[in-house]
Coordinates of all heavy atoms in Angstrom, one line a residue:
N506 N -12.1 87.3 -58.4 CA -12.0 88.5 -57.6 C -11.9 89.8 -58.6 O -11.2 90.8 -58.3 CB -10.7 88.5 -56.8 CG -10.8 89.5 -55.7 OD1 -11.9 89.8 -55.2 ND2 -9.7 90.1 -55.3
Q507 N -12.8 89.6 -59.7 CA -12.9 90.7 -60.7 C -14.2 91.2 -60.9 O -14.6 91.6 -61.9 CB -12.3 90.1 -62.0 CG -10.7 90.0 -61.9 CD -9.9 89.8 -63.2 OE1 -8.8 89.9 -63.1 NE2 -10.6 89.5 -64.2
K508 N -15.0 91.1 -59.8 CA -16.3 91.8 -59.8 C -16.1 93.1 -59.0 O -15.8 93.0 -57.8 CB -17.4 90.9 -59.2 CG -18.7 91.6 -59.0 CD -19.8 90.7 -58.3 CE -21.2 91.3 -58.3 NZ -21.1 92.4 -57.4
L509 N -16.3 94.1 -59.6 CA -15.8 95.4 -58.9 C -17.2 96.2 -58.7 O -18.2 96.2 -59.5 CB -15.1 96.2 -59.9 CG -13.7 95.5 -60.6 CD1 -12.9 96.4 -61.5 CD2 -12.9 94.9 -59.3
P510 N -17.2 97.0 -57.7 CA -15.9 97.2 -56.6 C -16.0 95.9 -55.8 O -17.0 95.3 -55.5 CB -16.3 98.3 -55.8 CG -17.5 99.0 -56.5 CD -18.2 98.0 -57.4
N511 N -14.7 95.4 -55.4 CA -14.6 94.2 -54.7 C -14.2 94.5 -53.2 O -14.1 95.7 -52.8 CB -13.6 93.3 -55.4 CG -12.2 93.9 -55.5 OD1 -11.9 94.7 -54.6 ND2 -11.3 93.3 -56.3
A512 N -14.1 93.4 -52.5 CA -13.8 93.5 -51.1 C -12.5 94.2 -50.8 O -12.2 94.8 -49.7 CB -14.0 92.2 -50.3
A513 N -11.6 94.1 -51.7 CA -10.3 94.7 -51.4 C -10.3 96.3 -51.7 O -9.1 96.9 -51.6 CB -9.2 94.1 -52.3
G514 N -11.4 96.7 -52.2 CA -11.4 98.2 -52.4 C -11.2 98.6 -53.9 O -11.1 99.8 -54.2
V515 N -11.0 97.6 -54.6 CA -10.5 97.9 -56.1 C -11.8 98.4 -56.9 O -12.9 97.6 -56.9 CB -10.0 96.7 -56.8 CG1 -9.6 96.9 -58.3 CG2 -8.7 96.3 -56.0
T516 N -11.8 99.4 -57.4 CA -13.0 100.1 -58.2 C -12.7 100.2 -59.7 O -13.5 100.6 -60.4 CB -13.4 101.3 -57.5 OG1 -12.4 102.3 -57.5 CG2 -13.9 101.0 -56.2
N517 N -11.4 100.1 -60.1 CA -11.1 100.4 -61.4 C -10.4 99.1 -62.1 O -9.4 98.5 -61.4 CB -10.2 101.7 -61.6 CG -9.9 102.0 -63.0 OD1 -9.2 101.3 -63.8 ND2 -10.2 103.2 -63.4
P518 N -10.7 98.6 -63.2 CA -10.1 97.6 -63.8 C -8.8 97.7 -64.4 O -8.4 96.8 -65.2 CB -11.3 97.0 -64.8 CG -11.8 98.3 -65.4 CD -11.8 99.2 -64.1
N519 N -8.2 98.8 -64.3 CA -6.8 99.1 -64.9 C -5.8 98.1 -64.6 O -5.6 97.7 -63.4 CB -6.3 100.5 -64.5 CG -5.0 100.7 -65.0 OD1 -4.8 100.5 -66.2 ND2 -4.1 101.4 -64.1
G520 N -5.3 97.4 -65.7 CA -4.3 96.4 -65.6 C -4.9 95.0 -65.5 O -4.2 94.0 -65.4
M521 N -6.2 94.9 -65.5 CA -6.8 93.5 -65.3 C -7.1 92.8 -66.7 O -7.0 93.6 -67.7 CB -8.2 93.6 -64.6 CG -8.1 94.0 -63.2 SD -9.7 93.9 -62.5 CE -9.3 94.1 -60.7
T522 N -7.1 91.6 -66.8 CA -7.5 90.9 -68.1 C -8.6 89.9 -67.7 O -8.8 89.7 -66.5 CB -6.3 90.2 -68.6 OG1 -5.9 89.0 -67.6 CG2 -5.1 91.1 -68.9
G523 N -9.1 89.4 -68.8 CA -10.1 88.3 -68.5 C -11.5 88.8 -68.2 O -11.9 90.0 -68.5

Side-chain angles (χ1 to χ4, degrees):
N506 202 31
Q507 294 191 166
K508 178 181 179 294
L509 307 180
N511 64 23
V515 178
T516 59
N517 188 296
N519 179 39
M521 291 184 176
T522 66

